[in-house]
Structure formats: C-alpha cells, structure tokens
C-alpha cells in the first residue's frame, strides 16, 4: 500500500519557524514532482511550493523568501522549511507526490493526510 505520511505541524508564534516533512512508502518505482498545498478554513486549496525530480523549485508569491522546499530522493521525502511565519500561513498543509508504482504504466498524484499549522499573534 502506498502512503504519504506527513509530520511536523503544530502551533507557533508569528515570526517563528516550522519544518514539515513528508515520506512516501510502498511499491514506488519513481517519484516525479513533489510539493505542498495548503487550505485555510473557507478558502480553496492553494499551491505553496513544488520541487521537480531534478530539484527545480517553484513557490507561491506569498511564501517566497520565507519558505524553502527540498527533497531527498533516496529516502523518498520532501521537506518544507517555513520561516518568518505569519498568521495568514495558518492552514492545513498537504503534501503530494507524482508516483510511478511498480507494474504501473503512468504516474498518479498521491496526497498526504494533512497536518495543521497554526500561527498565533
């Protein structure tokens, strides 16, 4: 069974930092893009950051210069380092990965279960 398991959410004061991690497990042959979305109450899910298999990164304008995404390919993990957190960063954060599974002919997007990040003033 393929899973994406997230860790690292929590409560932090504005200006603080948190580090989110997400690990893929199961019969994974290869991983394409990985990244993070977030969803605040009453809002649509929005893209936060992505990283390709080659390490090319993209960020939402609202998190540029504050967040950094990285991946460890041998460990099938993606990490989001969040610095200078603001109240508006409060949301449930979801990791995703484009996974090519053993015996599959194409990749599918898999999602983590979500982790709550709450930034207090």
């Amino acid at each position: 069974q393929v899973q994406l398991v997230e860790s690292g959410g929590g409560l932090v004061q504005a200006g603080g930092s948190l580090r989110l991690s997400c690990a893929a497990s199961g019969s994974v042959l290869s991983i394409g893009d990985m990244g993070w979305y977030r969803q605040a109450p009453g809002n649509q899910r929005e893209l936060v950051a992505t990283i390709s298999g080659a390490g090319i990164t993209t960020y939402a304008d609202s998190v540029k210069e504050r967040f950094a995404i990285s991946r460890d390919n041998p460990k099938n993990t993606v990490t989001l380092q969040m610095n200078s957190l603001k109240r508006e960063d409060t949301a449930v954060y979801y990791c995703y990965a484009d996974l090519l599974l053993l015996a599959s002919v194409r990749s599918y997007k898999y999602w983590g279960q979500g982790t709550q990040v709450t930034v207090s003033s």
Side-chain angles (χ1 to χ4, degrees), residues 70-97:
S70 60
R71 64 190 284 169
D72 185 332
N73 289 331
K75 295 183 179 179
N76 290 344
T77 60
V78 61
T79 299
L80 186 68
Q81 177 66 43
M82 304 185 294
N83 301 322
S84 302
L85 283 161
K86 305 175 181 180
R87 286 191 63 185
E88 51 264 43
D89 294 318
T90 296
V92 178
Y93 285 69
Y94 298 90
C95 72
Y96 80 90

Short mmCIF file of all heavy atoms in Angstrom, two decimals, residues 70-97:
data_model
loop_
_atom_site.label_atom_id
_atom_site.label_comp_id
_atom_site.label_asym_id
_atom_site.label_seq_id
_atom_site.Cartn_x
_atom_site.Cartn_y
_atom_site.Cartn_z
N SER A 70 12.63 21.21 -0.21
CA SER A 70 13.75 20.37 -0.59
C SER A 70 13.27 18.92 -0.62
O SER A 70 12.20 18.60 -0.09
CB SER A 70 14.92 20.54 0.38
OG SER A 70 14.54 20.17 1.69
N ARG A 71 14.08 18.05 -1.21
CA ARG A 71 13.72 16.64 -1.26
C ARG A 71 14.95 15.78 -1.11
O ARG A 71 16.07 16.21 -1.45
CB ARG A 71 12.97 16.30 -2.55
CG ARG A 71 13.75 16.48 -3.81
CD ARG A 71 12.83 16.36 -5.04
NE ARG A 71 12.48 14.99 -5.34
CZ ARG A 71 11.54 14.64 -6.22
NH1 ARG A 71 10.86 15.57 -6.87
NH2 ARG A 71 11.27 13.36 -6.47
N ASP A 72 14.74 14.58 -0.63
CA ASP A 72 15.79 13.59 -0.50
C ASP A 72 15.34 12.40 -1.34
O ASP A 72 14.49 11.63 -0.89
CB ASP A 72 15.99 13.22 0.97
CG ASP A 72 17.15 12.27 1.19
OD1 ASP A 72 17.48 11.49 0.27
OD2 ASP A 72 17.73 12.29 2.28
N ASN A 73 15.87 12.27 -2.52
CA ASN A 73 15.37 11.25 -3.44
C ASN A 73 15.59 9.82 -2.93
O ASN A 73 14.68 9.00 -3.02
CB ASN A 73 15.98 11.44 -4.82
CG ASN A 73 15.42 12.67 -5.52
OD1 ASN A 73 14.29 13.08 -5.28
ND2 ASN A 73 16.22 13.28 -6.38
N PRO A 74 16.76 9.48 -2.40
CA PRO A 74 16.92 8.11 -1.91
C PRO A 74 15.95 7.75 -0.78
O PRO A 74 15.58 6.59 -0.62
CB PRO A 74 18.36 8.09 -1.41
CG PRO A 74 19.03 9.15 -2.20
CD PRO A 74 18.00 10.23 -2.34
N LYS A 75 15.52 8.75 -0.02
CA LYS A 75 14.61 8.50 1.10
C LYS A 75 13.15 8.76 0.74
O LYS A 75 12.26 8.59 1.58
CB LYS A 75 15.00 9.34 2.31
CG LYS A 75 16.35 8.99 2.90
CD LYS A 75 16.65 9.82 4.14
CE LYS A 75 17.99 9.45 4.73
NZ LYS A 75 18.31 10.27 5.94
N ASN A 76 12.91 9.20 -0.50
CA ASN A 76 11.54 9.50 -0.95
C ASN A 76 10.82 10.48 -0.04
O ASN A 76 9.65 10.31 0.32
CB ASN A 76 10.71 8.21 -1.05
CG ASN A 76 11.16 7.31 -2.19
OD1 ASN A 76 11.89 7.75 -3.09
ND2 ASN A 76 10.75 6.06 -2.15
N THR A 77 11.53 11.54 0.35
CA THR A 77 10.94 12.52 1.25
C THR A 77 11.00 13.92 0.64
O THR A 77 11.87 14.23 -0.19
CB THR A 77 11.66 12.55 2.61
OG1 THR A 77 13.04 12.88 2.39
CG2 THR A 77 11.57 11.22 3.31
N VAL A 78 10.06 14.74 1.06
CA VAL A 78 10.04 16.15 0.71
C VAL A 78 9.84 16.94 2.00
O VAL A 78 9.10 16.51 2.89
CB VAL A 78 8.94 16.47 -0.32
CG1 VAL A 78 7.55 16.15 0.22
CG2 VAL A 78 9.03 17.92 -0.77
N THR A 79 10.53 18.05 2.10
CA THR A 79 10.53 18.86 3.31
C THR A 79 10.19 20.30 2.97
O THR A 79 10.61 20.80 1.92
CB THR A 79 11.90 18.80 4.00
OG1 THR A 79 12.18 17.44 4.36
CG2 THR A 79 11.92 19.66 5.25
N LEU A 80 9.43 20.94 3.85
CA LEU A 80 9.11 22.36 3.69
C LEU A 80 9.57 23.09 4.94
O LEU A 80 9.02 22.89 6.02
CB LEU A 80 7.61 22.57 3.48
CG LEU A 80 7.18 24.00 3.17
CD1 LEU A 80 7.69 24.42 1.79
CD2 LEU A 80 5.66 24.14 3.24
N GLN A 81 10.60 23.90 4.80
CA GLN A 81 11.09 24.73 5.90
C GLN A 81 10.36 26.06 5.83
O GLN A 81 10.44 26.77 4.81
CB GLN A 81 12.59 24.95 5.78
CG GLN A 81 13.18 25.85 6.85
CD GLN A 81 13.09 25.26 8.23
OE1 GLN A 81 13.35 24.07 8.42
NE2 GLN A 81 12.72 26.08 9.22
N MET A 82 9.64 26.39 6.89
CA MET A 82 8.83 27.61 6.91
C MET A 82 9.39 28.56 7.96
O MET A 82 9.41 28.23 9.14
CB MET A 82 7.38 27.27 7.23
CG MET A 82 6.78 26.24 6.28
SD MET A 82 5.02 25.94 6.57
CE MET A 82 5.09 25.17 8.17
N ASN A 83 9.84 29.71 7.51
CA ASN A 83 10.41 30.73 8.39
C ASN A 83 9.56 31.99 8.36
O ASN A 83 8.75 32.18 7.45
CB ASN A 83 11.84 31.05 7.98
CG ASN A 83 12.76 29.86 8.01
OD1 ASN A 83 12.65 29.00 8.90
ND2 ASN A 83 13.67 29.77 7.06
N SER A 84 9.77 32.84 9.34
CA SER A 84 9.05 34.12 9.41
C SER A 84 7.56 33.91 9.21
O SER A 84 6.90 34.61 8.42
CB SER A 84 9.60 35.09 8.36
OG SER A 84 10.98 35.31 8.54
N LEU A 85 7.00 32.97 9.93
CA LEU A 85 5.60 32.61 9.75
C LEU A 85 4.67 33.75 10.14
O LEU A 85 4.95 34.51 11.08
CB LEU A 85 5.28 31.35 10.55
CG LEU A 85 5.78 30.06 9.90
CD1 LEU A 85 5.86 28.94 10.91
CD2 LEU A 85 4.86 29.68 8.74
N LYS A 86 3.59 33.85 9.40
CA LYS A 86 2.58 34.88 9.62
C LYS A 86 1.25 34.21 9.96
O LYS A 86 1.03 33.04 9.64
CB LYS A 86 2.40 35.73 8.37
CG LYS A 86 3.69 36.36 7.84
CD LYS A 86 3.43 37.08 6.53
CE LYS A 86 4.70 37.70 5.98
NZ LYS A 86 4.46 38.40 4.69
N ARG A 87 0.34 34.98 10.54
CA ARG A 87 -0.97 34.43 10.88
C ARG A 87 -1.66 33.88 9.65
O ARG A 87 -2.35 32.85 9.70
CB ARG A 87 -1.83 35.48 11.56
CG ARG A 87 -1.43 35.80 12.99
CD ARG A 87 -2.47 36.65 13.66
NE ARG A 87 -3.75 35.96 13.78
CZ ARG A 87 -4.85 36.52 14.25
NH1 ARG A 87 -4.85 37.80 14.60
NH2 ARG A 87 -5.95 35.84 14.35
N GLU A 88 -1.46 34.54 8.52
CA GLU A 88 -2.14 34.09 7.31
C GLU A 88 -1.57 32.79 6.74
O GLU A 88 -2.10 32.26 5.77
CB GLU A 88 -2.11 35.19 6.24
CG GLU A 88 -0.74 35.77 5.96
CD GLU A 88 -0.50 37.05 6.74
OE1 GLU A 88 -0.86 37.12 7.94
OE2 GLU A 88 0.07 37.99 6.14
N ASP A 89 -0.51 32.29 7.34
CA ASP A 89 0.02 30.97 6.94
C ASP A 89 -0.75 29.84 7.64
O ASP A 89 -0.53 28.67 7.33
CB ASP A 89 1.50 30.85 7.29
CG ASP A 89 2.37 31.80 6.49
OD1 ASP A 89 2.13 31.95 5.28
OD2 ASP A 89 3.29 32.41 7.09
N THR A 90 -1.63 30.19 8.57
CA THR A 90 -2.41 29.17 9.27
C THR A 90 -3.30 28.42 8.29
O THR A 90 -4.06 29.00 7.53
CB THR A 90 -3.29 29.83 10.35
OG1 THR A 90 -2.46 30.43 11.34
CG2 THR A 90 -4.21 28.81 11.01
N ALA A 91 -3.16 27.09 8.28
CA ALA A 91 -3.89 26.25 7.34
C ALA A 91 -3.55 24.79 7.62
O ALA A 91 -2.64 24.49 8.40
CB ALA A 91 -3.51 26.59 5.90
N VAL A 92 -4.28 23.91 6.96
CA VAL A 92 -3.87 22.50 6.90
C VAL A 92 -2.98 22.36 5.68
O VAL A 92 -3.35 22.78 4.57
CB VAL A 92 -5.08 21.56 6.80
CG1 VAL A 92 -4.61 20.12 6.69
CG2 VAL A 92 -5.98 21.73 8.01
N TYR A 93 -1.81 21.79 5.88
CA TYR A 93 -0.83 21.62 4.81
C TYR A 93 -0.84 20.16 4.34
O TYR A 93 -0.78 19.23 5.16
CB TYR A 93 0.56 22.01 5.29
CG TYR A 93 0.74 23.50 5.39
CD1 TYR A 93 0.08 24.25 6.36
CD2 TYR A 93 1.57 24.19 4.50
CE1 TYR A 93 0.22 25.62 6.43
CE2 TYR A 93 1.72 25.57 4.57
CZ TYR A 93 1.05 26.28 5.54
OH TYR A 93 1.19 27.65 5.61
N TYR A 94 -0.92 20.00 3.02
CA TYR A 94 -0.97 18.68 2.41
C TYR A 94 0.23 18.50 1.48
O TYR A 94 0.49 19.35 0.63
CB TYR A 94 -2.24 18.52 1.57
CG TYR A 94 -3.52 18.62 2.34
CD1 TYR A 94 -4.15 19.85 2.50
CD2 TYR A 94 -4.12 17.50 2.89
CE1 TYR A 94 -5.34 19.96 3.20
CE2 TYR A 94 -5.31 17.59 3.60
CZ TYR A 94 -5.90 18.83 3.75
OH TYR A 94 -7.09 18.93 4.45
N CYS A 95 0.94 17.42 1.64
CA CYS A 95 1.99 17.13 0.67
C CYS A 95 1.40 16.27 -0.44
O CYS A 95 0.37 15.62 -0.27
CB CYS A 95 3.17 16.42 1.32
SG CYS A 95 2.87 14.71 1.80
N TYR A 96 2.06 16.31 -1.57
CA TYR A 96 1.67 15.45 -2.69
C TYR A 96 2.92 14.95 -3.39
O TYR A 96 4.01 15.54 -3.27
CB TYR A 96 0.76 16.19 -3.67
CG TYR A 96 1.50 17.10 -4.62
CD1 TYR A 96 1.97 16.62 -5.86
CD2 TYR A 96 1.76 18.42 -4.28
CE1 TYR A 96 2.67 17.45 -6.71
CE2 TYR A 96 2.46 19.25 -5.14
CZ TYR A 96 2.91 18.77 -6.35
OH TYR A 96 3.61 19.59 -7.20
N ALA A 97 2.74 13.89 -4.15
CA ALA A 97 3.84 13.36 -4.94
C ALA A 97 3.25 12.65 -6.16
O ALA A 97 2.24 11.95 -6.04
CB ALA A 97 4.69 12.40 -4.13
#
